Amino acid sequence: MKKAKKVKPPIDRVQAAYDAGLTSKEVEERVQKGYTNTTEDPNKKTPMQILANNLFTFFNTVLFIIAFVFIGFMIYLNAIGRSDIVNSYFGFSKFVFLIPAIMNVAMGSFQEFQSMKTIQKLRIVTSTKSKVVRDGKVESIDAAQIVLDDVVALSAGEQATADLIVLNGEVDVDESMLTGESDLIKKTAGDTILSGSSIIVGSARCRAEKIGNDTYAAELTRKVKNSSGHKSELMSSIMKIIKVLTVCLCVAIVVSTVTLAIKISATGNDPTIWNGLTLSLKDPVTWSLIVLTDGMFGVGMIPSGLVLTTSVALMVSIAGLTKKKTLVQELYSLENLSRVDVICLDKTGTLTDGTMSVSELKQFDDSAEQHIRVLMGATDERNATSEAVFQYFGADQSADIREKIPFSSANKYSGIVYGDGRKLLMGAPEYLLPQEDERLSYVTERAKEGNRVIAVTLDGVLIAFIAIEDHIRETAADTLKFFRENGVTVKVISGDNPLTVSMIAQKCGIVNADKYISLAGVPLEDIPSIAEEYTVFARVSPEQKEALVKALQANKHKVAMTGDGVNDILALRRSDSSITFAKASEAAKSCSDVILLDNDFSHLKEVVGEGRRVIGNTQKTSVLYLMKSIAVFILAFALIPFSKGQMWFSIENMYMLEAAVIGTGGFLLSLEPRRTPVSGSFLKKIVSQAVCAGALGAIAVLLPILLNVLPKALGNAPVIADINVRSMMTVMLSIAGIIVVFSMCIPFNKYRAIALTCVVAVAATLGLLLPSAYIGGSTIGADMLAFDKAAGQTIFDSQLVQEMFRPLNSPLVRALVSDINNYIVLRMFLYIAIPLFIIIRFTLESKLDESDPDRRLNRSYVFGKRLILASGLVLILHAMLSIVEVLTNTGSFLTESLLGDGNTAVYFNIFYAIVYIIVGALGYRMWTNPTKRLTTITFIAGMVLISLAMAPMTTAENEAVSQSALMIIDSAVASAVVLAYFIGCSLIFLNIISTDNKPTVATSQQ
């Protein structure tokens, strides 16, 4: 419901004189009656709105509905005397899925509160200022303090903040933000200047005709910020994913309900299928179990926190940047900056600190200094150049002046006309002197030293050259080095002399700064052909700046633009990401994504770095969230053929994956420092990886069921015992998630190694803390807290507390670890899943990322690198498991059959472990940097390794080997990994030898 518009009390309008303005009494009356230039911000949220927005998201709503439905069934079942079903199926562990949802709401709301407070404080610093005339005096106030009928003083570089009528003066106005036309429009007395118009040339005094919500101001600001079409690929991709998942969720629930109803109607009378229960579609217990299963799919398919985690990560970064004096005006501006690969810099105020000084005066007339002082005395508004000239020469306001000629970007000069008609001009020598003038050589000589030169002419006759020196920022070189090392090309765009700009760029360390060109007189249609060729562009007009940005974008570059003047507005709006400074014109600030509050260009390192970190890491965490959703959707169909259907799987089976892998792994990976550019389609990258990860998770769940059901169907003993099926489903699903995290940590560094270790540690801790739920996939109900008080027992004797403090005594854990088949199945799953997933992941990434250097290399060479990486990592894992075998005294079956029990077998195992670790490390090193020497060493090591691996297989004749087909398969898989390693190093070796040469380019470290 819209708020009713507040009716203001009537007020008498005042036509104040342009040089007197309103009186203090008139201003006070307008303030009291509400006639101020304030607007309602439609985007501003109250604390309750922030909380509601975070609480009532689509996914949260679904989760809360599932929880309420569960509670409803619990109440009903207790009422009809079926508390046994409540304890067995509706224990409190069924509601653990609400914990991450509630935490997401709490963290998201808190962070948004904090970010809102911080950003509101900083917006006060950057609030728009205006000059008004009151009681005959000019004063500077916040634009929001302008009142109706105020006399507003405008000058070049400012923006109209209310709808104004010109009373006195003359200005050239850029109304492109309103009309889309970039032609300047002259405004004189009686003309209207709409709010948001930019003053390019001249000065005027105007009356505030319309203010606040009656003007274009609030709407205009939003339009300007969005006029460049800056869109968030990240959020649009996530919203597409949400729409697809919503449809999939509905399909999964319908499929689960229908198939379970059909199965129960056919086999509901068989208690051996339904865990000792007899089910009927007329029994509410049956429907409670069906709804429970449907709820599992709802919980499983919802990527809890995907949107919220992304938004919170961005808000945390933005709040952190504000503390470093950097204001990011839009949430997804960080994403746009993270994708930038070309940044266009304005020399003045960016490479230089904006201050200048006169280094030399070359006179051609003895009266030159006096004429310069007259020019300074006639200047109303001073920029950095005129300030330097004023500081050096001073000013003279006693001369008879008929007319002032304001500076414009089109003609590159300003000046005056004396009372006697003589015209005195000061500006760019190229515009004031003919090209054949030999004296222009002085301009070139000074430009080689990094100086710019201003010419002063009197009636077209040169009377002086003024050499101006820019002060280069102390942080410029280091900032530009950061861009160079992080794959961002720097272009310098300036209105100054090309040689001067080039010399300053070279001093700052910009690559190819010697490639410069003047765009004076260059038509717009010729700019695309030179945009890539040159680094420094000088004598650039506002339209040419915009054309340069468009040309670079046409070549598939993501372009950032810095600027601080009204002449930069067109380019700022056109760019993918716009950056300005606190001292910039109000027009430039209004259309920029990022404002550097202390005018320090070096903060861009932190802005780009934060953007790359957040977006790059969000891609990783999104894969983890979607892995669970896709796996559960696959299971909705894959479990149909089995007798219990979808009831094989429970909510508890997912808790270890959610807490250890998605929760811990996603959180740690989202904080990893990252500087590599973000490239490729976000949606394609995460969907392709998530589908692979989801398929891996589904296989991990189905494998224990198959190894239990199929042998029994064939009349044999199950490979996975009945008591261990649920436990193995949980463990293997969690291991599948750890494999995905493992692949994301490649190439390893210290931080990623710690993150992976933490994921494994959290999974192990949770599994041992509450094995019934986190491993067994069973409900934890009130019955697990029961104890016999009459027998002297306490709460510490209950099953739940005993599990928490003595997990290894749990029957479930004992059954899991005592069966050697479980160990072999897990090991084979690791040996097969790790290499396949790594190879598929890198292959898909390479196909989807056009910037991947692997796309330019020989296919067999690339495949060899991926094969040796995957198999090498498995060899290291195999070595670790062998060491575990030694420590647990289980030994290696083939080794024992060859050498017998005892120290010899132990030493042999240790020897193999050391060899595998060395060879695996060589394989990883080969993937990162395959030199000819390293390739040769690795090839020889591969030959030795395959010989050692084949020796036990060819010499073992012990009959016991044939007693376990599972162990034979296990040994064969291990040997296949060794063979894959040898094939990989052979492919690399042949490619390196054939190129006769130098180190090969390393694979992109993704």
Side-chain angles (χ1 to χ4, degrees), residues 526-582:
D526 290 348
I527 288 179
S529 62
I530 60 175
E532 297 280 5
E533 183 180 353
Y534 294 94
T535 298
V536 174
F537 301 87
R539 300 301 184 202
V540 185
S541 68
E543 293 76 16
Q544 288 173 327
K545 287 185 180 182
E546 182 186 30
L548 273 170
V549 173
K550 289 171 65 177
L552 291 167
Q553 290 172 329
N555 290 334
K556 297 184 177 180
H557 290 297
K558 294 292 184 181
V559 184
M561 177 75 194
T562 66
D564 57 3
V566 290
N567 61 324
D568 297 315
I569 292 173
L570 293 175
L572 288 170
R573 288 190 301 159
R574 173 62 58 180
S575 66
D576 296 291
S577 188
S578 49
I579 304 143
T580 193
F581 305 89

Side-chain angles (χ1 to χ4, degrees), residues 288-395:
S288 71
L289 297 181
I290 291 175
V291 168
L292 190 67
T293 304
D294 291 342
M296 176 272 297
F297 283 104
V299 173
M301 290 198 62
I302 290 177
S304 304
L306 176 59
V307 179
L308 199 56
T309 300
T310 304
S311 298
V312 168
L314 288 167
M315 285 190 289
V316 168
S317 293
I318 290 172
L321 288 170
T322 56
K323 296 175 182 177
K324 298 177 181 178
K325 303 297 182 183
T326 303
L327 177 61
V328 181
Q329 302 211 84
E330 296 290 343
L331 188 62
Y332 290 93
S333 298
L334 269 182
E335 177 193 354
N336 297 328
L337 265 171
S338 72
R339 299 179 182 276
V340 162
D341 60 356
V342 175
I343 184 166
C344 299
L345 306 177
D346 185 18
K347 173 186 71 68
T348 305
T350 304
L351 298 181
T352 60
D353 61 12
T355 62
M356 302 177 183
S357 60
V358 174
S359 57
E360 185 181 31
L361 171 68
K362 187 175 180 64
Q363 296 189 77
F364 299 95
D365 188 299
D366 292 339
S367 63
E369 289 196 38
Q370 178 57 32
H371 287 298
I372 294 171
R373 281 192 286 271
V374 170
L375 276 173
M376 292 300 99
T379 304
D380 295 325
E381 300 288 336
R382 293 194 180 94
N383 56 21
T385 303
S386 57
E387 182 63 28
V389 175
F390 169 74
Q391 293 295 334
Y392 190 87
F393 295 100

Side-chain angles (χ1 to χ4, degrees), residues 61-62 251 316 768 788 916:
T61 302
V62 172
V251 171
V316 168
L768 294 176
D788 189 351
Y916 284 159

Side-chain angles (χ1 to χ4, degrees), residues 66-91:
I66 291 172
F68 284 126
V69 170
F70 284 1
I71 292 171
F73 269 104
M74 290 171 66
I75 294 171
Y76 178 74
L77 290 171
N78 277 319
I80 63 174
R82 295 306 304 266
S83 59
D84 59 319
I85 298 296
V86 174
N87 288 330
S88 299
Y89 292 94
F90 287 90

Side-chain angles (χ1 to χ4, degrees), residues 385-702:
T385 303
S386 57
E387 182 63 28
V389 175
F390 169 74
Q391 293 295 334
Y392 190 87
F393 295 100
D396 181 359
Q397 296 181 330
S398 62
D400 179 19
I401 297 174
R402 181 198 301 175
E403 180 186 352
K404 295 180 182 179
I405 303 172
F407 177 86
S408 75
S409 298
N411 50 37
K412 302 290 185 185
Y413 61 74
S414 61
I416 61 168
V417 177
Y418 282 112
D420 57 8
R422 290 179 300 163
K423 184 183 289 187
L424 180 65
L425 301 177
M426 180 172 70
E430 298 94 321
Y431 285 76
L432 293 177
L433 299 175
Q435 292 184 357
E436 61 274 10
D437 195 320
E438 295 180 355
R439 291 172 294 184
L440 286 174
S441 60
Y442 174 80
V443 178
T444 305
E445 291 172 7
R446 299 299 300 181
K448 289 179 181 178
E449 299 174 10
N451 291 174
R452 54 186 297 213
V453 177
I454 300 171
V456 183
T457 64
L458 184 61
D459 285 337
V461 178
L462 179 66
I463 61 173
F465 278 138
I466 305 172
I468 304 287
E469 183 179 21
D470 285 288
H471 295 161
I472 297 176
R473 287 185 181 274
E474 294 180 0
T475 57
D478 182 57
T479 305
L480 294 168
K481 180 183 177 183
F482 166 83
F483 286 125
R484 183 170 64 252
E485 292 175 347
N486 285 277
V488 180
T489 301
V490 177
K491 303 280 186 182
V492 181
I493 300 176
S494 177
D496 292 339
N497 178 279
L499 188 54
T500 301
V501 182
S502 174
M503 291 304 298
I504 290 176
Q506 289 181 55
K507 289 180 181 179
C508 293
I510 295 177
V511 177
N512 297 322
D514 57 330
K515 294 182 178 180
Y516 60 88
I517 185 174
S518 172
L519 295 188
V522 176
L524 296 180
E525 56 268 22
D526 290 348
I527 288 179
S529 62
I530 60 175
E532 297 280 5
E533 183 180 353
Y534 294 94
T535 298
V536 174
F537 301 87
R539 300 301 184 202
V540 185
S541 68
E543 293 76 16
Q544 288 173 327
K545 287 185 180 182
E546 182 186 30
L548 273 170
V549 173
K550 289 171 65 177
L552 291 167
Q553 290 172 329
N555 290 334
K556 297 184 177 180
H557 290 297
K558 294 292 184 181
V559 184
M561 177 75 194
T562 66
D564 57 3
V566 290
N567 61 324
D568 297 315
I569 292 173
L570 293 175
L572 288 170
R573 288 190 301 159
R574 173 62 58 180
S575 66
D576 296 291
S577 188
S578 49
I579 304 143
T580 193
F581 305 89
K583 67 178 182 181
S585 65
E586 300 302 336
K589 284 192 286 189
S590 70
C591 64
S592 293
D593 298 319
V594 178
I595 300 176
L596 305 176
L597 300 176
D598 59 358
N599 304 306
D600 189 351
F601 169 62
S602 66
H603 289 317
L604 279 185
K605 293 191 299 182
E606 288 134 15
V607 177
V608 173
E610 278 296 301
R612 289 183 173 183
R613 182 186 67 78
V614 172
I615 306 306
N617 293 341
T618 297
Q619 289 182 347
K620 291 183 178 181
T621 55
S622 297
V623 171
L624 294 177
Y625 281 114
L626 296 177
M627 172 193 177
K628 182 191 67 167
S629 304
I630 293 171
V632 171
F633 181 71
I634 294 172
L635 290 173
F637 296 89
L639 290 172
I640 292 175
F642 300 101
S643 57
K644 285 198 296 187
Q646 292 86 353
M647 283 192 187
W648 272 103
F649 199 59
S650 71
I651 290 176
E652 286 85 358
N653 286 123
M654 298 181 289
Y655 282 164
M656 189 182 293
L657 176 73
E658 286 207 63
V661 178
I662 298 175
T664 306
F667 174 74
L668 292 176
L669 289 178
S670 69
L671 298 179
E672 182 192 4
R674 177 189 172 103
R675 295 300 188 197
T676 52
V678 177
S679 59
S681 168
F682 177 85
L683 189 61
K684 288 180 180 179
K685 274 189 173 184
I686 64 169
V687 169
S688 61
Q689 292 186 55
V691 168
C692 292
L696 180 66
I699 291 170
V701 172
L702 291 171

Side-chain angles (χ1 to χ4, degrees), residues 863-880:
F863 178 73
K865 285 181 68 179
R866 292 171 184 163
L867 194 60
I868 201 170
L869 168 69
S871 56
L873 292 173
V874 172
L875 288 175
I876 294 174
L877 176 65
H878 182 67
M880 293 178 178

